[in-house]
Amino acid sequence: MSTTSSDDTLARLAAVIESRRGGDPEQSYVARLLAKGPDAILKKIGEEATETVMAGKDGQPEKIVHELADLWFHCLVALAHFGLSPAQVLDELRRREGISGLEEFAARKAAARDHEGRH
């Protein structure tokens, strides 16, 4: 799958999620979750993350994909709640391309120290 088509899929799904905002919670799972607010959304992400870990432990590829799809979906709901977009996450991932994970971690740690030192 090309980057453009996967970006498009995320953008389309984000648009559907956004269209459910303010909808009837009796008719839409997303409307219900958004109406419940961040605690419910974040709890659901935690549940889906746990299910993803368990699927990985089971080593069943289909189950891993299924649980990751659930996790990503609920992360998209969280992005919508916080007024963010998948494009912002994809931009951050693109920014990190070619940067060693260890370098990225060290840079974030140094930035956090600098931030705390100023406050």
Side-chain angles (χ1 to χ4, degrees):
M1 179 182 285
S2 73
T3 302
T4 303
S5 64
S6 57
D7 290 3
D8 292 348
T9 300
L10 290 174
R12 283 192 311 274
L13 186 52
V16 169
I17 290 168
E18 188 60 39
S19 76
R20 301 296 197 264
R21 184 185 303 279
D24 182 355
E26 297 298 317
Q27 300 294 317
S28 167
Y29 171 75
V30 171
R32 184 179 323 145
L33 199 52
L34 287 170
K36 288 181 178 180
D39 286 348
I41 296 165
L42 297 173
K43 179 181 177 191
K44 195 65 183 161
I45 289 172
E47 291 170 7
E48 297 301 343
T50 299
E51 290 173 8
T52 299
V53 169
M54 305 222 3
K57 291 283 196 180
D58 290 344
Q60 298 174 1
E62 313 81 37
K63 194 172 179 183
I64 294 167
V65 169
H66 177 85
E67 295 302 340
L68 277 168
D70 287 349
L71 178 59
W72 286 17
F73 175 81
H74 288 90
C75 288
L76 289 170
V77 174
L79 286 173
H81 171 78
F82 291 109
L84 302 168
S85 73
Q88 290 171 278
V89 176
L90 292 169
D91 287 346
E92 176 62 13
L93 289 171
R94 285 185 198 102
R95 183 191 68 77
R96 295 180 187 187
E97 276 184 299
I99 299 173
S100 155
L102 295 176
E103 290 172 15
E104 175 68 20
F105 178 74
R108 281 187 275 144
K109 193 172 181 180
R113 271 196 314 269
D114 290 348
H115 179 74
E116 286 184 16
R118 289 190 300 250
H119 294 283

